Amino acid sequence: MNVLSSVLRGFEALVLVYFAILTLVYALSALVGLRTIVVAAREPEPLALRDVVDRHYAKPVSILVPAYNEEDGIVGMVGSLLALHYRRFEVIVAVDGATDATLARLVDAFAMVESPTIYRRSVGTRPVHRVFRCRDHPNLLVLDKVNGGRADAVNAALNLARHPLVCVVDADSLLNPQALARASRLFAEDDTMIAVGGSLQPLNGAVVEDGAVVGMVAPRRWVERIQVLEYARSFFVTRAAWSRVGSLMIISGAFGLFRRDAVVECGGWTPGLVADDMEMVVKLHRRFRELGQAYRIGFTPDPMCWTEVPSRVRDLRAQRCMWERGILEVLWRHRGMAGNRRYGRIGLVGIPYLWLFETGATVVEALGYVLVVVSAAAGLLDLRFALLFFALAVLFGTLFSELGMTAQALLVSRPRGARDRFDLFVAAFAEYLGIRQLLVFSRLVALFQVRSRRGRYWRPSPPRPPAAETLPLPVAEARGG
Amino acid sequence: MSGARSDVLDAAPADRGGLRARRGEALFRALSVLIVVVEAAVMGALVWVLLGSRTVGAPPHSLLQDALVAAVTATASLLAVATATLAVLRSAGAGREGRDGRAEGGWSRAWERVLDGLDPCPAGPIDDEARSALLALSESVTGARLRRATAAVRQTGTDAVLTGRLDAVRGARRGRTARRSFAWRGRSTAATLDVLDDLARARLPEALPALLMLVRDRKVQTRLHAVRAAARTISRIDDDGDRSARSRDLLECIGGSGLARGALDETLVLLGRAAPPFVRAVLTDRNSSPPLLASSLDAVARLRLSRLGPLVVSHLDDRAPLDVRAAALRALGSLPGLPAGSDEPLRRALADPVDVVRAQASRAARLLPPSEGLAALNDLLADPSWWVRRAAAEALAAAGPIGRAALRDATRTHPDRFARQMAAQVLADRALETPSDAGGRAIA
């Protein structure tokens, strides 16, 4: 019993110290990332955006869209891309061996014709069967290829890309019409920029008019509200901070702008990985540091892209398990960078942080819950201490969520109404009443499934048709607005 | 106006406020600092008590619990203060912004009447919403309306307000001490960017000296905003001599600014009619930096400054930096004819060991005597570099009926397989993009 007591006390100390460090890191992130937010709230402003859109100096962009079984939304999505406010760009859709009517719908909707195309295979991919072009939209190409996964599809599109910048978007995302203009400005302003990420926001609860998000209301389901908070914390605090210190290690696969030559230098996206988007950024850091070339990976917290997030707990679990496996896959793949001075801040701070406070947080938190149960069973639990610690974690988590939401509010044109803010505030507490614990244990299990489920993607369950009462309200009728 | 306009600009002025500075920024900064300080203190105390108890050997669990209670209390208090403050801030801010937006919308309609000559210009001073509406409107008007807008900027005292704010931020920045907090630095940057944005719209020549000084600022964001404001201002100066003089002043400041190539390209575009003398000055200055030279040479092509053709020739030298040579070749390709002394450098570039140079040279090869140019491009169709083959094929396709005929012949008779494929590909692409222009059988 003394041994058990010592072990428990020791772990208690470990968890406390761990929590204290993590709390400080998050708090500092809010402050460090704030400057990114402040500058982004002014740059680009309408004047500079218009100069980008209307004038000729902006770099042309190739938009790469990997598509697999997206028959329902692919035509609308491609149509919205073709309507982007940008002077020169092309859209390359890589249909990755889809088994539904994705290709047929594209060919029909855009009157595409098969056009044998000679292109430079900068990156090896699975075979490409056919290439289609469109007379009405000469900047639209669709390629039909053997299924090889998302990364392989992006690489195939990359091989056909003609422009110096490539933008990777998901087929189920809704892009901000000004996304290209805003993101490409960062390349114009810094010759060393090789990649730019933008913030991703949940489409759940967003009010969409004519293909653009014009407002946000709190989603009806608690699991969606919790994710709204998570995304706000992640993009408007954490990533803004990491970008500020030059150690951004992930650019969301739903929207990222890259210099084509930099991506080709790294051999394109790595097939067979769940987190190929994160792996590309880590690879860029690694390659350019090995080359000794000055580079920068930027981030703009401006809302660039909206994506549907899981609306059911089981889907959320599956997604987070996938992400957990993905992070560990990437970290393991690049384990040589950890603690390696050759890789500068990435090797000495960024990668160790991911090991200790992303992957490690899952382990520590899960063990914490387990040991509470063990302590209680052994009669060693100090209930007051446990409750106080839990209260501290909940309070700080809520505070952090509040900071994220406010940072977001500094950037959007229509801030949330009072009722929405209250709902989200309550959700910040509700997150700790079961969902968080469920996700922690699921993610812990996922860590042991990295090998057995290697490269296995999760796709969301088909959404249920919404009942009339669950449709988001138009902005004018938004509660508390 | 171009059809590709931001929908933000199409919206009423109230909606454009979404991308501007938000109210409550300063307070949010202060709260963030407070949170960091308090959490650092409570977490530090907690860890100290915990580790200290281990060192001493005694298990003062009660002390640890007291520290935990203090941490919970402090965090809860922070949360309460932050939530209440931010809620009030957002509500009050949203309300205020809504009122400001409506006011600005009203002013936009009023300014429309002033610029149409239907109403007299209101006497100054005017408030921020009126000023913002006037500056926004002045961006989209031309001719007589623009003249009235410019006059209104003066009559309402907007010019004095903006130059005063510029002096204020410059003074605040000069007075910065090493002990200034992060929050203050952020605020100063924000204030500077705001006033530079307004000056870019207002285009006040009297603000140019201060703007040019900020082009050399140590903060890259400030330099970018300042050079943009300066270029826009110079482009609006009516007097040719004054405009040329100011653009030379800008050139002096840009030289040591370390601005990125894209920013230099932007500057040259924004200079508008002031660009030609600026470009001439750059191309004739031996001390011009390679990025500035490359941007200026690209401006020759983009702005079709054919009379600067002779100045391009000197930058075709084999010893010039690669970016400069490539830009010079692009510029050469945009000219209606080869300037004297450029044929030999072009011939050398067509055989250059660097593929980028060969690719750019292929676009200018059409300027050589037809038989020589066609032969050179036909040879480049079989170049080892895909990009050079593509550039050569596109150059032939763009070289009129003779070039396209040569390309069609290449699809059948060129000895190199890759050349035949590339020729066919480019012809097929052109058939899709410009059906009226295409020749031969399109593969479709």
Side-chain angles (χ1 to χ4, degrees), chain A residues 9 12-13 16-17 19-20 23-24 27-28 31-32 34-35 38-39 41-51 53-57 85 113-120 133 135 138 161-162 177-178 182 185 188-191 260 382 384-385 388-389 391-392 395-396 398-399 402-403 406-407 409-415 421 425 429, chain B residues 1-2 4-9 15-16 18-22 25 28-29 32-33 35-36 39-40 43 46-47 50 54 61 64-65 68-69 71-72 75-76 78-79 82-83 86-87 90-91 139 182 186 189-190 193-194 197 200-201 219 221 224-225 228 232 260-263 265-266 269-270 302 386-387 390 421 425 429 432-433 443-444:
Chain A
R9 291 286 175 258
E12 169 191 287
L16 261 175
V17 173
F19 177 77
T23 299
L24 277 175
L28 278 171
L31 195 56
V32 171
L34 179 58
R35 190 170 189 282
V38 165
V39 173
R42 291 155 179 77
E43 176 73 31
E45 72 296 324
L47 185 67
L49 279 182
R50 192 186 79 168
D51 286 340
V53 171
D54 288 355
R55 299 179 193 262
H56 300 251
Y57 70 89
H85 294 160
V113 294
E114 188 176 341
S115 174
T117 300
I118 307 298
Y119 57 92
R120 185 168 183 237
R133 299 197 64 181
R135 284 200 170 89
R162 293 187 296 174
Q178 301 163 5
R182 294 185 188 186
R185 274 206 64 84
E189 293 171 0
D190 188 341
D191 288 333
R260 181 167 53 78
D382 183 338
R384 186 164 180 253
F385 182 90
L388 280 172
F389 184 69
L392 182 61
L395 286 169
F396 185 77
T398 306
L399 182 62
E402 198 71 356
L403 283 175
T406 305
L410 291 175
L411 286 165
V412 297
S413 59
R414 290 190 173 86
R421 290 199 303 275
F425 181 77
F429 282 98
Chain B
M1 296 289 287
S2 162
R5 286 180 56 159
S6 157
D7 60 354
V8 170
L9 294 170
D15 292 335
R16 290 206 294 276
L19 294 173
R20 301 297 300 274
R22 306 310 305 276
E25 227 171 63
F28 180 59
R29 273 190 218 104
S32 299
V33 172
I35 288 168
V36 169
E39 289 298 325
M43 292 299 161
L46 202 55
V47 172
L50 177 69
R54 301 278 171 245
H61 210 59
L64 185 59
Q65 286 207 355
L68 200 50
V69 168
V72 169
T75 306
L78 268 180
L79 179 59
T83 304
L86 295 171
R90 292 309 326 147
S91 296
E139 281 294 302
F182 170 83
T189 300
L193 298 185
D194 282 340
D197 180 26
R201 295 170 191 269
K219 285 201 166 93
Q221 286 298 330
L224 289 166
H225 276 71
R228 184 186 308 138
R232 288 175 133 256
R261 174 68 191 277
D265 289 340
E266 177 186 27
V269 169
L270 293 177
R302 190 169 51 244
W386 186 93
W387 299 106
R390 179 83 194 191
Q421 287 176 348
Q425 179 66 63
D429 290 348
L432 273 172
E433 291 166 11
I443 304 170

Side-chain angles (χ1 to χ4, degrees), chain B residues 24-194:
Chain B
E25 227 171 63
L27 189 53
F28 180 59
R29 273 190 218 104
L31 265 173
S32 299
V33 172
L34 179 65
I35 288 168
V36 169
V37 169
V38 170
E39 289 298 325
V42 298
M43 292 299 161
L46 202 55
V47 172
W48 183 81
V49 166
L50 177 69
L51 297 181
S53 70
R54 301 278 171 245
T55 306
V56 171
H61 210 59
S62 59
L63 183 60
L64 185 59
Q65 286 207 355
D66 290 344
L68 200 50
V69 168
V72 169
T73 307
T75 306
S77 303
L78 268 180
L79 179 59
V81 168
T83 304
T85 306
L86 295 171
V88 169
L89 208 59
R90 292 309 326 147
S91 296
R96 181 71 189 270
E97 282 170 11
R99 283 194 298 276
D100 290 348
R102 286 189 293 275
E104 194 171 320
W107 271 108
S108 289
R109 288 185 287 276
W111 285 122
E112 289 270 9
R113 292 183 59 81
V114 170
L115 300 193
D116 288 336
L118 300 173
D119 287 340
C121 177
I126 55 176
D127 57 21
D128 284 343
E129 290 73 40
R131 190 173 305 115
S132 181
L134 173 60
L135 292 176
L137 202 54
S138 68
E139 281 294 302
S140 57
V141 296
T142 56
R145 300 183 87 210
L146 178 59
R147 285 192 294 276
R148 290 194 192 101
T150 306
V153 166
R154 304 276 179 203
Q155 286 175 259
T156 57
T158 296
D159 52 344
V161 168
L162 294 182
T163 51
R165 285 181 182 173
L166 183 62
D167 289 339
V169 297
R170 286 184 59 227
R173 293 166 73 78
R174 276 197 302 269
R176 182 172 51 232
T177 66
R179 284 188 297 169
R180 269 176 61 183
S181 71
F182 170 83
W184 174 244
R185 279 206 299 276
R187 179 168 173 272
S188 178
T189 300
T192 304
L193 298 185
D194 282 340

Side-chain angles (χ1 to χ4, degrees), chain A residues 409-469:
Chain A
L410 291 175
L411 286 165
V412 297
S413 59
R414 290 190 173 86
R416 297 179 184 276
R419 178 60 191 271
D420 282 352
R421 290 199 303 275
F422 176 77
D423 286 342
L424 291 172
F425 181 77
V426 173
F429 282 98
E431 182 178 357
Y432 287 84
L433 300 180
I435 288 182
R436 183 182 177 93
Q437 290 74 16
L438 179 64
L439 293 179
V440 162
F441 281 100
S442 300
R443 284 160 48 197
L444 181 69
V445 170
L447 290 177
F448 295 98
Q449 295 174 329
V450 172
R451 290 177 69 88
S452 61
R453 294 195 177 194
R454 187 170 190 271
R456 200 180 298 184
Y457 284 94
W458 164 84
R459 291 186 65 85
S461 310
R464 290 176 298 176
E469 66 272 15

Side-chain angles (χ1 to χ4, degrees), chain B residues 349-363:
Chain B
L350 286 168
D352 196 273
V354 180
D355 56 355
V356 169
V357 175
R358 295 198 304 279
Q360 299 301 335
S362 67
R363 297 192 168 102

Side-chain angles (χ1 to χ4, degrees), chain A residues 61-397:
Chain A
V61 176
S62 298
I63 303 176
L64 315 180
V65 186
Y68 178 77
N69 289 2
E70 303 282 353
E71 63 180 7
D72 287 333
I74 191 66
V75 172
M77 199 269 177
V78 171
S80 69
L81 290 178
L82 291 172
L84 285 174
H85 294 160
Y86 204 70
R87 189 154 187 100
R88 281 178 64 198
F89 66 96
E90 61 181 355
V91 178
I92 306 172
V93 182
V95 180
D96 191 39
T99 56
D100 65 357
T102 303
L103 180 64
R105 293 206 179 170
L106 280 170
V107 170
D108 286 343
F110 296 102
M112 307 200 76
V113 294
E114 188 176 341
S115 174
T117 300
I118 307 298
Y119 57 92
R120 185 168 183 237
R121 268 176 237 278
S122 305
V123 179
T125 69
R126 300 296 299 276
V128 174
H129 292 313
R130 297 173 289 177
V131 177
F132 295 84
R133 299 197 64 181
C134 173
R135 284 200 170 89
D136 295 329
H137 300 281
N139 61 334
L140 172 62
L141 285 91
V142 173
L143 59 98
D144 175 30
K145 65 179 288 291
V146 172
N147 178 259
R150 182 183 180 278
D152 192 73
V154 174
N155 288 337
L158 177 68
N159 284 336
L160 266 83
R162 293 187 296 174
H163 294 323
L165 297 181
V166 295
C167 175
V168 181
V169 300
D170 277 346
D172 56 358
S173 301
L174 183 63
L175 220 57
N176 183 325
Q178 301 163 5
L180 287 187
R182 294 185 188 186
S184 71
R185 274 206 64 84
L186 298 185
F187 287 88
E189 293 171 0
D190 188 341
D191 288 333
T192 64
M193 191 72 73
I194 58 173
V196 168
S199 74
L200 190 64
Q201 295 302 294
L203 193 54
N204 311 53
V207 181
V208 179
E209 288 177 11
D210 296 329
V213 172
V214 296
M216 292 178 288
V217 298
R220 290 195 178 261
R221 293 197 176 95
W222 288 103
V223 68
E224 294 170 323
R225 292 178 184 179
I226 287 168
Q227 291 175 83
V228 168
L229 296 170
E230 275 187 316
Y231 276 64
R233 292 195 302 259
S234 172
F235 284 96
F236 298 111
V237 178
T238 311
R239 292 196 194 188
W242 282 114
S243 166
R244 182 82 180 95
V245 298
S247 300
L248 185 67
M249 280 168 296
I250 181 164
I251 289 176
S252 175
F255 178 84
L257 193 59
F258 302 85
R259 235 175 54 192
R260 181 167 53 78
D261 63 327
V263 169
V264 170
E265 175 68 40
C266 294
W269 279 263
T270 304
L273 293 181
V274 166
D276 50 57
D277 47 1
M278 176 184 169
E279 203 263 345
M280 169 52 71
V281 178
V282 174
K283 221 165 34 167
L284 285 169
H285 279 296
R286 182 172 197 161
R287 185 68 184 135
F288 276 74
R289 286 188 180 267
E290 289 171 352
L291 290 173
Q293 287 183 18
Y295 75 100
R296 215 179 122 215
I297 294 178
F299 172 77
T300 171
D302 289 312
M304 291 293 191
C305 185
W306 285 265
T307 190
E308 197 79 28
V309 299
S311 57
R312 292 185 287 190
V313 174
R314 72 175 187 201
D315 290 338
L316 180 62
R317 272 187 59 210
Q319 183 194 61
R320 297 310 158 88
C321 290
M322 182 182 73
W323 288 0
E324 194 73 22
R325 291 199 311 272
I327 291 175
L328 192 56
E329 272 182 341
V330 173
L331 289 178
W332 185 251
R333 189 178 178 86
H334 295 279
R335 58 191 181 278
M337 294 175 69
N340 191 332
R341 294 167 62 97
R342 183 184 185 190
Y343 301 104
R345 243 176 282 184
I346 302 299
L348 296 177
V349 178
I351 298 287
Y353 172 85
L354 288 177
W355 276 110
L356 290 172
F357 295 112
E358 284 287 338
T359 302
T362 303
V363 175
V364 171
E365 189 169 346
L367 280 179
Y369 293 126
V370 167
L371 284 167
V372 164
V373 173
V374 170
S375 300
L380 296 172
L381 178 66
D382 183 338
L383 186 60
R384 186 164 180 253
F385 182 90
L387 288 175
L388 280 172
F389 184 69
F390 183 72
L392 182 61
V394 171
L395 286 169
F396 185 77

